[in-house]
Amino acid sequence: MIRTPSLPLVPALIPFLILGIGGEAKASSAQAEAPVLLAQASGSGTADQDLSPSDRINLDQAENACMNGDYRTFFNAFAQSAAVREKYSAARITRSVLNAHGKVISSQTLRPEEYRTFPVLLIDYDYKPAKPSRAGDAEEYLDLQFNQSQNNDISVEWSRIHYDGQSAGGDDRGNPLDADGKLVPPGTHQYPEGQLLFQPAGNCWEFSEDIRWKRGG
């Protein structure tokens, strides 16, 4: 993965950079759309009888996470269940591609039913890409970095990793390697490939933006 030393990544500031794309108008729009989320939460969307046992468990998990302000558990339920994603998505989802300087290359606004590219899956206890870089690569994982702003906006940055297999035993897969096969130093994160944004809505959050960072752009 190409790094840009002259443009150091400051994770805590990225949510504000991305949210700035839409300006204050987007913030007011998100507030206006909050009732839509509450309406979904009260029963619209997927019929209860159509839910799988797994979806029911994840919906309960997401609801409890909302009540406790636990955004990590909320995200896990979101990544595991299409029913959770349907219930806790904004009325409009923005999907953008940015270059390394933060310039918008492309952007589109989608209704939840049109959005089908959520990039993160949670399988057992592992974050996996919904679409591996190489088709059929079952050994590709995702490294996630969570940030919470003072306004309770949640940012989840993700990047692809593999492991070198130098395990110390147990479930340890060894050391993480970046997309170029280089060791990721302990306690650090590589340059993200994407960022997911969740805005507060009611007593919970709603998924509002999917940002992809183009390498070398």
Side-chain angles (χ1 to χ4, degrees):
M1 178 173 293
I2 299 175
R3 295 177 180 272
T4 54
S6 61
L7 293 168
L9 180 65
V10 183
L13 297 180
I14 285 183
F16 301 100
L17 169 65
I18 303 302
L19 291 173
I21 294 174
E24 296 180 356
K26 180 178 292 185
S28 60
S29 174
Q31 294 173 353
E33 290 170 1
V36 175
L37 176 67
L38 298 178
Q40 292 175 339
S42 64
S44 63
T46 303
D48 185 68
Q49 61 268 24
D50 295 334
L51 295 174
S52 69
S54 175
D55 282 330
R56 294 175 190 275
I57 291 171
N58 280 292
L59 282 165
D60 287 343
Q61 184 181 60
E63 183 177 357
N64 289 333
C66 292
M67 293 174 60
N68 295 324
D70 182 356
Y71 59 82
R72 288 177 181 262
T73 299
F74 169 78
F75 180 84
N76 287 348
F78 197 92
Q80 289 187 96
S81 170
V84 175
R85 292 193 290 274
E86 178 182 345
K87 181 175 179 178
Y88 293 98
S89 286
R92 293 291 184 270
I93 299 170
T94 302
R95 190 183 190 284
S96 304
V97 178
L98 279 64
N99 67 14
H101 302 278
K103 181 180 179 181
V104 178
I105 298 173
S106 64
S107 182
Q108 58 183 154
T109 301
L110 304 169
R111 296 190 299 273
E113 61 270 21
E114 298 172 322
Y115 175 80
R116 293 291 182 269
T117 55
F118 193 75
V120 182
L121 296 176
L122 180 62
I123 301 177
D124 294 328
Y125 298 100
D126 297 313
Y127 294 113
K128 304 277 286 184
K131 184 177 181 180
S133 295
R134 297 189 302 273
D137 184 0
E139 298 304 316
E140 187 173 66
Y141 296 84
L142 295 182
D143 174 40
L144 303 188
Q145 186 174 10
F146 293 82
N147 288 287
Q148 182 178 28
S149 76
Q150 293 181 343
N151 295 326
N152 200 25
D153 296 305
I154 307 302
S155 164
V156 183
E157 297 166 5
W158 59 270
S159 53
R160 302 175 191 271
I161 57 173
H162 287 79
Y163 291 94
D164 63 7
Q166 302 301 311
S167 174
D171 296 329
D172 180 19
R173 295 185 177 86
N175 302 302
L177 305 174
D178 66 17
D180 298 319
K182 296 180 179 179
L183 180 68
V184 179
T188 68
H189 299 272
Q190 59 180 318
Y191 196 92
E193 183 173 330
Q195 183 182 32
L196 304 167
L197 297 180
F198 296 79
Q199 294 180 321
N203 66 338
C204 198
W205 299 274
E206 61 180 15
F207 173 57
S208 59
E209 294 192 55
D210 176 350
I211 299 101
R212 309 292 172 98
W213 301 82
K214 185 176 181 181
R215 294 186 196 176

